[in-house]
Amino acid sequence: MKETIIILGANGQIGSELALALRNKFGKENVITSDIRPPQQLEEGDIFETANVLDKNLLKELFLKYKPTQIYLLAAMLSATGEQYPQKAWDLNMNGLLNVLDLAVELGIKKIFWPSSIAVFGPHSPKIDTPQYCVMDPNSIYGISKLSGERLVEYYHAKYGLDIRSIRYPGIISWKTAPGGGTTDYAVHIFFEALAKGAYTSFLSENTALPMMYMDDAVRATIELMDAPAENLTIRSSYNLAGISFTPTEIAQEIKKILPNFDMSYADGDPRQAIADSWPKSINDEYAQKDWNWKLEYNLEDLTREMIENLKTNKQQWVELLNLERKENLSAGPKWRSNSHV
Ligand code: AKB
């Protein structure tokens, strides 16, 4: 069957790399990217449409124009920015999702990908090897919206037969596009600053372990889940994915193996610390392994090597990104970018 795919929120960290992978797999003519603003650059043959997921009428026009068979809804406000703008975060994360789900039911669009996050867990969830099913009491507005979203997607699957698939992403580490407004962003900033300045001040404390994943694994996981036979999927809320767990100290040590003069320091009192402290330190992903044969490829050593090599050979790209981040106050400190996508 010929697939036509629309990616909403395609300019963000995951969307921009997922778009590349989906264009390679399905052909540029079958993948439409969309976001509230056009991307910095479009390559020949790329199809882009400006759309706000909160504008249901426009979204309907977009779906009627392209008649997608699959939708990837990646527009969201992340954990750190969400704490600055809780109403906006709730509005974007919930009403954006509801608009897509309702239009999918109305127009008969069956297959949808929607990302959840490790943020669905909270202070009373087990911290180590956090299982798929356990106490979930998120205390960030982002986590609350993602947990509510999980309940909604399972409901729409059961009630309307929508084939919605979802992953609880850990922090994603990538070099092509910067993340925006997350608690796990330090693990990306550290590489940019290590190469630009030889030093980094972490906004999370030295022993804060969090689950993370290299972008290539995250993109492959998403596509493998979307390709899996529907009858194999036993989870219709969102799958745990373990990734790799490490602390700021451990990633700094790994960077020092390649850049021996790298200097790491730590800033106290950043509000993102409280969010990180409420999240799991490590995750159990036995359901993903069993249901769709999930296997992680990149460990901490691999991703550190890949990040540094790629950033070194694409210097122009990351210098531009770093300048952009500086302008938008993305580095260590209490201010975060105000509008972002997963
Ligand atoms: C964030 O830090 O908010 C995100 C996430 C773990 O969902 N990267």
Side-chain angles (χ1 to χ4, degrees):
M1 175 182 146
K2 179 179 163 300
E3 300 286 356
T4 304
I5 294 171
I6 293 187
I7 308 174
L8 300 164
N11 293 353
Q13 187 197 18
I14 297 177
S16 49
E17 299 216 26
L18 197 55
L20 275 176
L22 291 173
R23 282 182 172 128
N24 283 339
K25 185 171 158 73
F26 293 102
K28 285 188 171 198
E29 66 285 8
N30 297 315
V31 177
I32 296 95
T33 56
S34 134
D35 208 303
I36 38 175
R37 273 181 291 274
Q40 303 259 17
Q41 62 188 55
L42 277 175
E43 285 184 17
E44 210 190 315
D46 289 354
I47 308 173
F48 176 85
E49 296 274 355
T50 305
N52 178 350
V53 292
L54 294 178
D55 186 337
K56 197 171 175 186
N57 292 333
L58 251 181
L59 219 47
K60 186 170 178 180
E61 278 176 31
L62 182 72
F63 294 168
L64 285 172
K65 178 171 172 189
Y66 289 100
K67 304 193 172 34
T69 55
Q70 295 186 21
I71 295 171
Y72 289 69
L73 169 56
L74 303 177
M77 195 181 281
L78 297 190
S79 56
T81 314
E83 290 312 295
Q84 289 193 303
Y85 306 98
Q87 279 89 358
K88 279 190 187 163
W90 178 260
D91 189 29
L92 176 61
N93 297 359
M94 294 318 303
N95 291 326
L97 174 60
L98 270 171
N99 284 345
V100 170
L101 294 179
D102 285 338
L103 286 171
V105 173
E106 186 184 329
L107 304 176
I109 305 163
K110 283 277 176 276
K111 207 163 174 180
I112 296 170
F113 180 81
W114 171 81
S116 186
S117 160
I118 56 165
V120 292
F121 298 108
H124 294 89
S125 308
K127 287 265 180 278
I128 309 284
D129 203 30
T130 307
Q132 178 73 36
Y133 297 107
C134 59
V135 170
M136 296 166 93
D137 57 347
N139 57 10
S140 68
I141 193 70
Y142 174 65
I144 295 168
S145 71
K146 285 294 178 187
L147 184 54
S148 309
E150 286 193 9
R151 304 320 310 142
L152 270 180
V153 298
E154 192 177 281
Y155 179 79
Y156 273 69
H157 169 71
K159 193 164 170 90
Y160 301 109
L162 291 188
D163 185 2
I164 314 169
R165 303 175 181 207
S166 177
I167 285 172
R168 291 173 179 156
Y169 287 124
I172 306 296
I173 299 179
S174 65
W175 57 272
K176 286 188 192 149
T177 308
T183 301
T184 56
D185 293 6
Y186 93 86
V188 180
H189 298 161
I190 192 170
F191 289 103
F192 288 74
E193 302 268 340
L195 285 165
K197 298 197 294 200
Y200 180 66
T201 303
S202 169
F203 57 76
L204 295 185
S205 67
E206 43 200 305
N207 294 321
T208 308
L210 285 174
M212 305 274 184
M213 183 176 277
Y214 190 52
M215 178 63 90
D216 293 31
D217 272 332
V219 167
R220 186 171 53 81
T222 308
I223 293 178
E224 284 179 10
L225 173 60
M226 288 300 270
D227 282 349
E231 61 276 16
N232 291 0
L233 303 182
T234 59
I235 296 200
R236 287 302 186 157
S237 53
S238 188
Y239 277 93
N240 270 11
L241 270 201
I244 20 164
S245 289
F246 56 80
T247 63
T249 310
E250 286 163 342
I251 192 171
Q253 278 164 357
E254 215 48 55
I255 292 174
K256 271 186 199 217
K257 288 185 191 163
I258 304 175
L259 306 170
N261 295 328
F262 174 64
D263 185 39
M264 180 82 154
S265 53
Y266 299 88
D268 277 346
D270 190 289
R272 286 168 281 192
Q273 184 67 46
I275 302 176
D277 288 342
S278 74
W279 288 355
K281 294 180 188 302
S282 62
I283 301 267
N284 180 303
D285 65 7
E286 62 187 326
Y287 283 88
Q289 294 178 38
K290 220 175 347 140
D291 289 2
W292 42 282
N293 207 17
W294 167 245
K295 278 184 204 66
L296 187 82
E297 270 179 17
Y298 291 84
N299 62 22
L300 178 56
E301 191 185 344
D302 300 330
L303 80 80
T304 305
R305 188 193 54 242
E306 288 286 312
M307 285 295 287
I308 293 178
E309 275 175 13
N310 281 309
L311 287 173
K312 272 186 174 164
T313 45
N314 295 278
K315 194 161 177 197
Q316 190 51 37
Q317 186 164 349
W318 64 260
V319 167
E320 274 165 27
L321 270 179
L322 203 63
N323 287 338
L324 189 76
E325 286 192 347
R326 286 223 179 88
K327 258 193 246 148
E328 300 188 11
N329 287 313
L330 252 177
S331 54
K335 285 187 148 190
W336 308 298
R337 193 152 65 177
S338 64
N339 192 5
S340 61
H341 293 91
V342 170

